[in-house]
Amino acid sequence: MGQREHVRVAVIGSGFGGLGAAVRLRREGITDFVVLERAGSVGGTWRDNSYPGCACDVPSHLYSFSFAPNPDWPRTFSGQEHIRAYLERVADTFRLRSHIRLDHEVLMMRWDGDELRWEIETSQGTMTADVVVSATGPLSDPKTPEIPGLADFPGKVFHSSRWDHDYDLRGKRVAIIGTGASAIQIVPAIQPQAGKLTLFQRTPPWVLPRMDRKITGVERWLHRQLPFTGSARRGLLWGIRELQVSAFTKRPNELGLIESLAKANIAKSIKDPALRARLTPSYRIGCKRILLSSDYYPALAQPNVDIVASGLSEVRGSSVVAADGSETEVDAIIFGTGFHVTDLPIAERVVGADGITLAESWKDGMQSLRGATAAGFPNWMTIIGANTGLGNSSMILMIESQLNYMADYLRQLSVLGGRAALAARPSAVGAWNRRVQERMERTVWKSGGCNSWYLDANGRNTTLWPGTTGEFRRETRRVDLSEYEVVRVLADSAAAAESVDVAS
């Protein structure tokens, strides 16, 4: 039997987080790494989500890496195809292809305390790594509710992130389940084709106009010839969003003006008072993610669209039955029901130092130190971990901050020398998360009167960061070794390890 491949770092996933980690590793002089990707191409969520109308709700110049600016964004809010193409260019520009292993799904990762390394079982074989950087992302595994009778539905069924492009919607009776960010893009995109479109809405979203436009040739030329103009544009977009944070995190009552604008957006297109009432949320704006669309409400006002202000409860043959008892016969059911965000499926595949999975460790809710490391899982890091999400700005900003932390983590291991691992102290993880949750109580996400996908089964917001992106960057600039134990293999016993208290 041949010897298993061993690498310094194994990165899981090739979306923004995984490709960003790969670029940063090369910049740190680390070339002994692989990027394990379960699919046949890079792109992460921007590869998987290819539904009609798919686009980003963050301005293009802010939704890109600071180290890889794109002067040629075609629109102020980019579509899925442009973002995916951008990620492909990043992989080529930074010569990442030789590190990427496509069609390598990670089946299990186990910490070997004797060897101080991770054993990684993939769909293409096994390997080992000193450090694992998990960049699978929270929007990678679709969540489809268990609906009685769904298995016997004779028509077409699929999730928005697994769109069946071979299925022709023209003239079909289509049911869309959910009213989140994907649904409000899908509805106006397919409404002109569908014979009848029925939207199942448990809770209406707040929707603001989407100020999207083509970026002119003059603007693109200027950004190419004078790169500082693109940086200035990015900086302005960032600064505006930083100033908005306090309303979400400290003074939710200040969001009243935004709420008035959203109500005006409804009234502009929806003239029927009864329908307008069904589409107007009863919770404070910002409690759920504020959505952007200028064609959602006009689409809902069309005669071939029905709004069912209730969730889907049952499927009877070719009919979908709402919780209010109404019944509609349809040809296709499309789920826009989101993803496993607070119960990450990858956590079932990570076995730590104590022999338990990360999912078991997180049974009472996700907890990670500075959004990166978890107690009981040495030399394991995550990009977009617990409480690193944003409600009003670009996740790329948070990803780059976590890449700074990853880089310093690896520097610390190099300085320590020899075979060593860093294990997050449970006390440090607990202290960090208590501080985050205390701050969370004042935010609109906890006090706004809604039940959002930000909250876990225990009602804790383990998804969002209750501060500015600038603050998070300061908190993750350096690894504080007092928050870790240094674990080494004893020279006289390959099967024993010692923990060194670096704080003493």
Side-chain angles (χ1 to χ4, degrees):
M1 294 180 64
Q3 189 174 4
R4 287 183 299 181
E5 180 184 11
H6 177 78
V7 293
R8 175 66 170 151
V9 183
V11 179
I12 317 299
S14 67
F16 268 100
L19 294 182
V23 172
R24 189 57 184 268
L25 288 171
R26 287 186 63 93
R27 287 187 155 192
E28 292 293 316
I30 298 173
T31 57
D32 183 17
F33 72 90
V34 294
V35 178
L36 301 175
E37 169 56 56
R38 66 183 178 184
S41 59
V42 303
T45 192
W46 294 106
R47 174 200 60 234
D48 295 343
N49 287 270
S50 60
Y51 57 80
C54 184
C56 190
D57 59 2
V58 174
S60 302
H61 286 83
L62 195 57
Y63 201 78
S64 50
F65 290 120
S66 63
F67 52 78
N70 179 17
D72 291 315
W73 288 118
R75 303 194 66 86
T76 52
F77 289 89
S78 292
Q80 173 265 344
E81 68 277 16
H82 302 121
I83 298 173
R84 183 178 181 184
Y86 169 78
L87 289 171
E88 293 280 1
R89 286 198 300 275
V90 167
D92 291 331
T93 300
F94 292 92
R95 296 178 296 167
L96 304 180
R97 299 289 183 184
S98 62
H99 298 278
I100 299 172
R101 308 283 178 84
L102 300 176
D103 299 311
H104 276 63
E105 181 177 6
V106 172
L107 305 176
M108 190 63 70
M109 293 175 274
R110 295 181 179 87
W111 176 248
D112 184 343
D114 296 338
E115 299 293 333
L116 295 190
R117 60 180 50 170
W118 284 94
E119 296 180 350
I120 305 170
E121 179 186 352
T122 80
S123 57
Q124 302 294 329
T126 60
M127 64 185 308
T128 59
D130 294 330
V131 177
V132 168
V133 178
S134 179
T136 58
L139 305 183
S140 57
D141 291 282
K143 179 183 264 186
T144 302
E146 295 183 4
I147 305 295
L150 181 62
D152 298 322
F153 178 66
K156 194 69 179 178
V157 179
F158 53 87
H159 190 275
S160 60
S161 67
R162 302 293 185 267
W163 195 270
D164 188 340
H165 291 277
D166 294 328
Y167 184 73
D168 190 354
L169 291 172
R170 286 177 295 183
K172 298 294 196 304
R173 298 165 299 178
V174 182
I176 294 185
I177 317 302
T179 52
S182 299
I184 71 156
Q185 295 179 344
I186 293 170
V187 167
I190 70 171
Q191 173 271 320
Q193 307 170 38
K196 186 71 174 180
L197 195 156
T198 304
L199 178 65
F200 284 75
Q201 169 194 272
R202 286 192 305 175
T203 308
W206 285 110
V207 183
L208 290 171
R210 181 183 178 86
M211 309 303 289
D212 187 28
R213 65 171 178 83
K214 287 185 178 179
I215 296 178
T216 66
V218 172
E219 289 173 278
R220 295 198 297 273
W221 178 87
L222 192 64
H223 295 330
R224 282 195 301 271
Q225 300 302 315
L226 301 172
F228 76 87
T229 61
S231 299
R233 186 173 190 160
R234 177 186 175 92
L236 179 62
L237 292 168
W238 169 78
I240 291 171
R241 281 154 180 77
E242 291 289 272
L243 293 174
Q244 296 170 347
V245 170
S246 63
F248 288 87
T249 60
K250 298 177 182 178
R251 295 181 288 275
N253 289 334
E254 292 182 358
L255 293 165
L257 175 60
I258 306 298
E259 202 167 287
S260 298
L261 295 175
K263 288 180 179 178
N265 190 38
I266 300 174
K268 179 181 177 182
S269 299
I270 306 298
K271 304 307 179 184
D272 178 3
L275 178 57
R276 194 160 60 237
R278 277 188 287 167
L279 295 174
T280 303
S282 59
Y283 55 87
R284 171 63 76 189
I285 194 169
C287 185
K288 293 190 174 195
R289 188 175 181 93
I290 300 172
L291 306 182
L292 302 179
S293 177
S294 296
D295 50 12
Y296 177 64
Y297 291 129
L300 296 185
Q302 298 305 308
N304 68 329
V305 178
D306 279 342
I307 310 296
V308 178
S310 181
L312 176 62
S313 65
E314 184 183 356
V315 177
R316 295 178 191 159
S318 60
S319 295
V320 287
V321 183
D324 63 8
S326 60
E327 190 170 340
T328 307
E329 193 166 351
V330 298
D331 302 306
I333 302 173
I334 301 172
F335 286 96
T337 46
F339 301 85
H340 289 276
V341 175
T342 60
D343 56 341
L344 301 177
I346 191 67
E348 298 277 2
R349 305 183 183 193
V350 186
V351 180
D354 298 326
I356 65 172
T357 66
L358 186 60
E360 291 170 320
S361 176
W362 281 350
K363 66 182 185 299
D364 295 324
M366 295 191 300
Q367 289 193 43
S368 54
L369 177 58
R370 302 181 188 274
T373 55
F377 298 83
N379 280 11
W380 185 90
M381 308 184 69
T382 183
I383 305 296
I384 315 183
N387 291 113
T388 60
L390 296 175
N392 75 313
S393 192
S394 173
M395 276 306 301
I396 314 306
L397 301 168
M398 301 296 278
I399 288 171
E400 290 197 28
S401 293
Q402 292 198 285
L403 298 182
N404 290 340
Y405 195 79
M406 176 198 75
D408 196 52
Y409 189 101
L410 292 167
R411 287 188 214 111
Q412 298 292 346
L413 285 175
S414 296
V415 169
L416 289 168
R419 291 166 60 190
L422 290 175
R425 295 177 180 275
S427 58
V429 176
W432 172 262
N433 283 275
R434 281 192 299 274
R435 182 154 65 98
V436 168
Q437 292 303 320
E438 286 170 2
R439 294 179 59 181
M440 196 68 71
E441 291 301 317
R442 295 189 296 171
T443 69
V444 69
W445 310 307
K446 285 299 293 287
S447 64
C450 73
N451 182 23
S452 73
W453 58 267
Y454 299 146
L455 309 180
D456 66 15
N458 300 310
R460 293 172 65 247
N461 189 331
T462 58
T463 305
L464 298 183
W465 168 245
T468 65
T469 63
E471 180 186 3
F472 187 77
R473 176 152 295 200
R474 291 190 294 273
E475 294 280 9
T476 53
R477 183 167 287 127
R478 295 282 185 271
V479 169
D480 181 354
L481 280 182
S482 69
E483 296 180 331
Y484 290 88
E485 291 180 353
V486 178
V487 184
R488 290 188 182 276
V489 172
L490 294 176
D492 59 350
S493 174
E498 65 174 351
S499 293
V500 181
D501 189 344
V502 297
S504 61

